[in-house]
Amino acid sequence: MHGKQAAISPVLEARLGLSIVVPDSLNTDTLGTFTGEVERPGNMLETAIAKARLGMQAAGTDIGIASEGSYGPHPIMPFVPLGRELIVLVDDARGITIKEVLLCETTNFHHVLAGSINGIDDFLERVRFPAHGLIVRPNRPTAAATRIVKGIQCRDSLAETILDSAESSSDGRARIEADMRAHQNPTRMAAIADASSLLAERVNSLCPSCETPGFGREGSEAGLPCSWCGAPTERVLREIFGCVACDYTEKKARGDGLTEADPGQCQYCNP
Ligand SMILES: [Zn+2]
Ligand SMILES: [Zn+2]
């Protein structure tokens, strides 16, 4: 619905040799929307798998691909926004699901409250308007049915919509936010392409034990030793790689080669 195939198909066709079809008349908004008119049931992974299966049913294929994004405050730095782009490949012929997640720190996910377009130029620059679309709604809607206007990419209609929304808000303010739908958001589209590359890499990685595609990082083990006292810290010591089909796992050293933790992260040296 949001043209994500422009980001996904070229990567997966080139790197996996898949030929990708996008079924028409597929409404994935029934599985939840960014703006919350339809609540998202289940977690991101369940939603993405459900989307892939909708597509597989419609197209009559054994393999389906879907992506799902979530945007919110950074867990460690709450004033910095963070995006998570999840992409899944469901393969019913092999009975496996392969997933990858990309963390996106360059996202334009922001919002502002305002009664008019005057004085929000800093915000408009931050959300990369008008190259990126905006969504406007009353901050505290007075009417029962909230009117949400999406995909605004022109300054005149933005100004007008802010005034309309502010008028139907009990606090006289409109809520203006970045439109995170892929076709309205080139930054997000690029993140989906990057997530597709991660997925392609993972599909091309075979399990050393059973040779099923999709072998990759599944988790990590804490305990990186403090560089002063050698005590284990909460930081990652080893990464755990696993198979999507069998129980085989491998523990590998951190990808960045770090072998000791900063004493500032040690509970003994920096209590
Ligand atoms: Zn220490
Ligand atoms: Zn395996």
Side-chain angles (χ1 to χ4, degrees):
M1 281 181 76
H2 303 151
K4 288 178 184 172
Q5 64 270 24
I8 297 173
S9 301
V11 177
L12 299 191
E13 290 184 345
R15 298 187 50 188
L16 300 179
L18 288 172
S19 125
I20 294 178
V21 289
V22 181
D24 15 279
S25 74
L26 198 63
N27 183 358
T28 52
D29 278 354
T30 55
L31 296 171
T33 63
F34 263 115
T35 34
E37 298 101 318
V38 183
E39 208 174 308
R40 289 179 182 232
N43 61 31
M44 275 173 84
L45 180 59
E46 288 165 359
T47 307
I49 292 172
K51 274 186 188 174
R53 289 202 183 282
L54 270 184
M56 289 156 78
Q57 277 161 15
T61 57
D62 282 342
I63 296 181
I65 296 149
S67 100
E68 186 73 6
S70 108
Y71 287 82
H74 196 291
I76 299 166
M77 299 166 280
F79 296 106
V80 176
L82 181 69
R84 287 159 56 86
E85 287 294 344
L86 169 80
I87 182 163
V88 293
L89 182 147
V90 177
D91 181 344
D92 274 349
R94 289 176 188 266
I96 58 171
T97 296
I98 302 174
K99 66 172 192 294
E100 268 296 349
V101 176
L102 177 90
L103 296 181
C104 178
E105 288 174 344
T106 59
T107 173
N108 70 331
F109 179 78
H110 292 287
H111 79 273
V112 76
L113 303 177
S116 82
I117 198 170
N118 300 322
I120 63 165
D121 283 345
D122 284 354
F123 166 79
L124 294 180
E125 201 171 308
R126 249 178 126 185
V127 293
R128 297 157 214 159
F129 178 82
H132 292 62
L134 290 174
I135 292 174
V136 176
R137 63 176 116 188
N139 185 44
R140 295 187 192 287
T142 48
T146 308
R147 201 170 84 99
I148 301 179
V149 183
K150 301 183 190 179
I152 302 171
Q153 285 189 293
C154 133
R155 200 175 167 98
D156 287 347
S157 78
L158 176 64
E160 200 175 303
T161 313
I162 293 174
L163 288 178
D164 279 357
S165 295
E167 213 164 274
S168 43
S169 176
S170 63
D171 66 355
R173 294 192 298 178
R175 181 186 166 95
I176 305 137
E177 63 195 55
D179 193 334
M180 299 311 294
R181 294 173 302 158
H183 63 305
Q184 287 287 325
N185 198 313
T187 301
R188 182 160 181 236
M189 202 61 115
I192 294 169
D194 289 346
S196 306
S197 292
L198 289 180
L199 181 72
E201 208 167 296
R202 190 157 183 144
V203 172
N204 278 331
S205 161
L206 304 186
C207 170
S209 174
C210 73
E211 298 191 329
T212 299
F215 189 74
R217 187 180 181 282
E218 288 198 327
S220 60
E221 190 181 271
L224 194 66
C226 167
S227 65
W228 282 0
C229 74
T233 66
E234 288 300 306
R235 296 205 59 192
V236 171
L237 173 65
R238 274 189 286 260
E239 294 183 335
I240 300 166
F241 282 58
C243 174
V244 293
C246 78
D247 292 335
Y248 181 80
T249 57
E250 268 178 22
K251 289 181 180 176
K252 298 189 183 188
R254 291 171 62 108
D256 61 6
L258 200 64
T259 56
E260 287 179 322
D262 188 285
Q265 285 154 331
C266 172
Q267 56 168 323
Y268 302 108
C269 299
N270 185 27

